[in-house]
Amino acid sequence: LIASLEQVDRTYIMVKPDGVQRGLVGEIISRFEKKGFKLIGLKLFQCSKELAEEHYKDLNQRSFFPKLSEYITSGPVVSMAWEGVGVVPSARKLIGATNPLQAEPGTIRGDFAVETGRNVIHGSDSPENGEREIALWFKEGELCEWTPVLHPWLR
Ligand code: RTP
C-alpha cells in the first residue's frame, strides 16, 4: 500500500548484439521478471547507424564512438521497456559496472562479460533518459500497459 504511493518510473533496457548472439536474451529477461519489474515493451530489432548514434549522442566526441556505433549495429538487439518503483537505479544494479571486469559476480555483466566494448546490455542512467530512450526505440502503439492480475503485490 505504501509502495503504491511511490513514483513508478520506466527504463530502456537493451540486450546488445553480443548478448543476442550468445543466447543470453532469456536469461536477461528472466532476471528482470524475477526481480518484480513489469515488462511493457519488447522487440527484436536491427537498428540503423542513425538510431545507434542518436542513442549514444552524448558520447559522440569520444574516441570509441565509431566502434560503439559499429558494435550496436552489428546484429539485432532486443529492445525492452520496463516499469516499476526505482526501476532505473535498480536495473543499473542488476546490470553491473560498465567495465565487466569491475562488475560484481551476480550482476549480468559480472556473470556474462569480460570487455567494455562487448558488455552485453544497456540500461538508462536516469528516469529522464529512460523516457527519452523509450521514445527513441519504440513507436507509438508498441508499448503495452497492463495490470498483473495473478500477482497484484508486484508492479
Ligand atoms: P550503457 O549506456 O550501454 O548502459 O553503458 P554505461 O552507461 O554503463 O556506459 P557509458 O559510459 O554510457 O558507455 C556506453 C557504452 O559505450 C561502450 N563503451 N566503450 N572505452 C570503451 O571502449 C568504451 N567505453 C564505453 C560500452 O558498450 C558502454 O556500455
Side-chain angles (χ1 to χ4, degrees), residues 87-131:
V87 70
V88 171
S90 180
R92 301 275 291 183
K93 277 195 176 177
L94 293 175
I95 290 169
T98 305
N99 179 347
L101 291 180
Q102 267 134 43
E104 293 296 327
T107 65
I108 293 165
R109 287 170 177 159
D111 288 350
F112 302 122
V114 175
E115 293 178 52
T116 302
R118 297 177 180 180
N119 62 1
V120 171
I121 183 167
H122 161 80
S124 308
D125 62 7
S126 67
E128 295 70 34
N129 274 335
E131 295 303 326

